[in-house]
Amino acid sequence: MTLREVLSQIPDPRARNRQYPLWGLLALILVAFLSRVDSLRGVERFARANPHLLPHLGLRKPPGHTILTLLLHRLDPEKLQEALLQVFPGADLGEVLVVDGKHLKGSGKGKSPQVRLVEVLALGRFGAPTPNEPPDHPGPGQGGGEGGPSPFGAPGPPGGGGAQGEGGGGGRRVPVPGVSGEGGAKRGAYLFVLKGNQGELLEWALEVFKGMEERRLPGETEAVWNLVRDGEVWTYRVWASPYLPEEIRAFPGCGQVVRMEREVVRKGTGEVRRTVSYALTSLGPEVADARRLGELLLSRWEVENRSFWVRDVLFREDACQVRGVGAQVLAALRAFLVSLLHRQGVREKKAALEAFSFNPLAALRFLGLYAV
């Protein structure tokens, strides 16, 4: 379906004053965001500065800031996401899904809770980043298993696939795909990154690797490799062990614990930076050795690079002053644009948005809204 068709399906929450069609107002915001506008005030100024765009959007005159604000706070974010989903045809998301989350800065104020974003990316396919913020939705590391949050993608990893996530559940037991067998035939593996708020699990993971440098047991693997980039030498050293304490075995389906050391040496100054990360995985040593697990751990940054960076830096999402439900609606629209840029194979996103800002008609054509 075309973007205009799906936007026209969204229930209009306005009881009166419908001189501006709902689909036209939402499409105007999308075109403005592609043209590097980052606020509702900016959308209003954009519409006034580009009156030649309005007929393509079914608008007779530029809408004011109040019109846009009231609409966003009355719109149902879930209905919007369901509608936008129809723009993307069903597709196999591939073998590896990366799941990550963040809080939208400045989205909460007073009684308005802060908006949480959970994004899913299919590696190698440019995926479909998506927001999800029901009040009781589990954050990353607290859920997102079978049938997880993927408004612009398939729900959960396909058979034989794998999902990656980051710790954020404060040590809670985590439902993961492919472990309990619940939810039908869909199964998969996981690679779960541990952080400081996974206190007890992280402590036991540290215990596993004490003494591993001096002596390795059968089934334990190690890998070391170097990369040179931007005048720096990055050295990665990864260990994986299937010998798990009882406390870690209580984690659903855990097969190995992983440790990754990263050392970055600046060639010019000799400055050294070191970090250590730990993870749990359902993949056994017969399926994935330390090198493979290390590569998967590095791939978890794809959501940051392909989605969060685009939203924060290019779309300036964190600088948005809209709160509450309006922030959820705008997050859904930005996620749709990021997904569309990926689907269309746009790799130089900054250059693309700059080009759209100079020629908004090109943004209109990119969205399929140009009326001949």
Side-chain angles (χ1 to χ4, degrees):
M1 299 181 68
T2 66
L3 179 58
R4 175 173 177 173
E5 290 172 343
V6 301
L7 292 179
S8 300
Q9 294 179 359
I10 301 173
D12 195 332
R14 300 170 298 174
R16 297 179 300 174
N17 192 19
R18 297 189 180 185
Q19 59 177 316
Y20 300 98
L22 175 63
W23 77 267
L25 294 177
L26 294 175
L28 174 64
I29 295 174
L30 290 172
V31 175
F33 281 0
L34 276 180
S35 302
R36 308 203 74 178
V37 173
D38 57 15
S39 68
L40 291 184
R41 292 283 185 189
V43 174
E44 178 186 11
R45 291 191 291 268
F46 176 82
R48 296 185 185 280
N50 296 277
H52 59 288
L53 300 179
L54 302 183
H56 300 279
L57 304 174
L59 303 175
R60 292 179 296 173
K61 60 180 181 179
H65 173 263
T66 302
I67 296 291
L68 296 171
T69 302
L70 292 177
L71 174 65
L72 292 185
H73 286 285
R74 294 173 180 172
L75 206 60
D76 186 339
E78 294 185 5
K79 296 293 185 182
L80 174 63
Q81 293 182 52
E82 291 174 3
L84 292 176
L85 170 64
Q86 300 178 59
V87 175
F88 300 108
D92 182 1
L93 289 181
E95 295 184 354
V96 180
L97 304 180
V98 181
V99 183
D100 199 358
K102 71 166 187 171
H103 286 83
L104 184 58
K105 293 180 181 178
S107 61
K109 187 177 182 181
K111 295 183 179 180
S112 298
Q114 197 171 34
V115 176
R116 293 187 297 171
L117 306 177
V118 176
E119 305 229 356
V120 180
L121 188 75
L123 292 185
R125 298 176 182 267
F126 286 106
T130 63
N132 243 335
E133 45 272 331
D136 57 348
H137 194 283
Q142 293 173 271
E146 194 100 4
S150 302
F152 298 150
Q164 300 181 58
E166 293 199 16
R172 296 170 57 186
R173 293 187 60 172
V174 181
V176 289
V179 175
S180 64
E182 297 176 355
K186 291 185 178 181
R187 299 179 64 85
Y190 65 84
L191 179 61
F192 184 81
V193 181
L194 297 175
K195 289 187 175 180
N197 54 0
Q198 292 281 347
E200 189 174 340
L201 280 174
L202 186 56
E203 289 178 9
W204 284 110
L206 292 172
E207 289 292 328
V208 172
F209 295 99
K210 287 184 177 179
M212 186 173 172
E213 292 188 38
E214 291 76 20
R215 182 173 64 92
R216 289 208 305 271
L217 299 175
E220 293 181 332
T221 55
E222 178 183 352
V224 182
W225 69 94
N226 298 314
L227 296 175
V228 179
R229 58 177 75 159
D230 300 328
E232 297 178 332
V233 179
W234 296 53
T235 301
Y236 297 98
R237 189 175 186 184
V238 184
W239 293 273
S241 174
Y243 298 97
L244 310 178
E246 183 178 348
E247 290 77 7
I248 291 184
R249 289 190 180 277
F251 191 91
C254 187
Q256 290 190 92
V257 63
V258 187
R259 170 189 168 101
M260 170 182 278
E261 292 183 2
R262 183 184 67 179
E263 180 181 270
V264 183
V265 180
R266 188 76 180 177
K267 287 184 176 180
T269 63
E271 175 190 359
V272 179
R273 307 191 306 273
R274 292 185 178 90
T275 59
V276 181
S277 301
Y278 294 87
L280 305 180
T281 179
S282 60
L283 298 171
E286 71 284 354
V287 177
D289 59 7
R291 178 61 185 255
R292 175 58 177 158
L293 293 173
E295 292 170 346
L296 290 173
L297 273 174
L298 292 180
S299 69
R300 70 189 175 93
W301 291 104
E302 294 295 336
V303 169
E304 291 281 353
N305 296 333
R306 295 182 180 181
S307 177
F308 289 162
W309 184 88
V310 175
R311 295 170 66 146
D312 293 343
V313 177
L314 299 186
F315 289 123
R316 298 193 63 200
E317 183 170 62
D318 284 340
C320 181
Q321 297 299 307
V322 179
R323 306 286 191 260
V325 175
Q328 297 180 35
V329 172
L330 292 182
L333 294 176
R334 292 190 187 93
F336 168 78
L337 291 177
V338 175
S339 294
L340 189 62
L341 289 167
H342 287 325
R343 289 278 185 168
Q344 298 298 327
V346 179
R347 295 186 177 272
E348 298 296 331
K349 296 177 181 59
K350 182 178 180 181
L353 297 190
E354 288 176 346
F356 290 145
S357 68
F358 296 134
N359 182 13
L361 274 177
L364 207 65
R365 293 190 180 96
F366 179 78
L367 293 170
L369 298 171
Y370 187 79
V372 181

